[in-house]
Amino acid sequence: MKKPSLRPGPFNTVGFFFSIVGFVLVLLCLVGCLRPSGRGLYFAKVTNATPLTDGSNVAVYYGWQGYCLEDVNLNCYNDRKVMVVPFDVAISNQLNASYPELFLDARPQDEELNPEATPSPAHDPKIYPAAVLCLLCSAALLGLCILRICSNYQDEFHTRGFLASGSAVLSLLLLILSSIMYQNAIEQLNLEYPHLVASQGPAMTMIGVSFAAFTIASYALLRGCMSMDSNSDGYNPI
């Protein structure tokens, strides 16, 4: 029987590359807004629509684990309390004490015309544990990809492909949870408070790209998993 070549094929390289992309993007989303250097990695941003009474401006950038406040100076805070649904209520409670001008002339929302304005109990959407699980799964995937490239590891049972699929499912869960948490809150803030502007940040796109990257990696690394053509060892090495 001819031994399979140990040289990694193109699908190994593709799977490895997109696994790295997905892992890095999820990691950046997790650490966004914890330091001033990570201010740009935010999911939601709130700023004043017009200058405040003293002529100054304020901008608040929200990540998964903290937020950055920029007025005279730029300061970032590690605060898990910002990870709560409904997020618009959490923002108004947090900023109303320091910047009440942002919440003047509030426009009451008719719950019958705007069902999204219906109040709901505050709860943690569990984004942090989902992100940690995604990073652990993708880290194991990267470890096996490196082992496949640097040694004679053959991945008989397509473990890398299933880990990539698990990472894709978890990143999709993160995308759904983040969309529920931030997008509705941004819309409600803009509808209700005319003196502020809420906008979505690049981190939402990043988590979407991470899902796409893990999906491509799983396709590449699961190639041949369901094939009926197999060698005498019972598998087709990727």
Side-chain angles (χ1 to χ4, degrees):
M1 182 188 67
K2 183 180 178 181
K3 294 181 65 177
S5 173
L6 298 182
R7 182 176 63 85
F11 288 100
N12 285 287
T13 305
V14 170
F16 184 41
F17 172 76
F18 282 102
S19 298
I20 292 175
V21 171
F23 176 83
V24 170
L25 289 176
V26 174
L27 181 62
L28 289 175
C29 289
L30 188 62
V31 301
C33 295
L34 292 180
R35 298 288 185 273
S37 58
R39 176 191 62 176
L41 305 174
Y42 63 92
F43 282 89
K45 175 184 177 182
V46 175
T47 186
N48 51 298
T50 57
L52 302 178
T53 304
D54 58 2
S56 63
N57 295 296
V58 62
V60 190
Y61 306 84
Y62 290 94
W64 276 342
Q65 297 192 84
Y67 64 95
C68 292
L69 176 62
E70 183 178 21
D71 43 18
V72 178
N73 299 309
L74 175 62
N75 298 299
C76 295
Y77 306 91
N78 185 346
D79 186 0
R80 295 274 186 85
K81 293 179 181 178
V82 301
M83 196 181 293
V84 63
V85 176
F87 188 60
D88 52 320
V89 176
I91 288 180
S92 60
N93 292 338
Q94 179 195 32
L95 298 180
N96 196 22
S98 302
Y99 303 98
E101 296 174 52
L102 297 177
F103 303 95
L104 296 176
D105 305 320
R107 296 184 286 243
Q109 299 296 303
D110 189 333
E111 295 177 7
E112 294 184 359
L113 298 177
N114 182 12
E116 300 294 340
T118 304
S120 60
H123 62 279
D124 183 354
K126 306 300 182 183
I127 290 178
Y128 179 76
V132 171
L133 285 174
C134 184
L135 287 175
L136 290 174
C137 190
S138 55
L141 165 62
L142 290 176
L144 290 180
C145 285
I146 294 173
L147 187 64
R148 172 69 181 93
I149 293 174
C150 298
S151 72
N152 61 353
Y153 172 65
Q154 288 297 302
D155 196 7
E156 299 182 31
F157 304 106
H158 298 278
T159 307
R160 293 169 301 157
F162 289 114
L163 285 172
S165 298
S167 300
V169 171
L170 288 168
S171 60
L172 176 60
L173 176 62
L174 289 171
L175 178 61
I176 294 172
L177 291 175
S178 298
S179 298
I180 294 172
M181 178 172 172
Y182 295 107
Q183 290 181 343
N184 178 63
I186 290 170
E187 181 181 355
Q188 293 305 314
L189 287 169
N190 287 325
L191 285 174
E192 189 169 355
Y193 302 108
H195 297 293
L196 62 78
V197 176
S199 57
Q200 182 176 294
M204 190 70 73
T205 303
M206 292 167 60
I207 199 65
V209 173
S210 73
F211 165 64
F214 284 129
T215 301
I216 295 173
S218 65
Y219 171 78
L221 296 174
L222 282 174
R223 184 176 173 83
C225 177
M226 302 299 293
S227 175
M228 297 300 295
D229 298 327
S230 60
N231 58 27
S232 59
D233 290 331
Y235 72 96
N236 287 323
I238 299 176

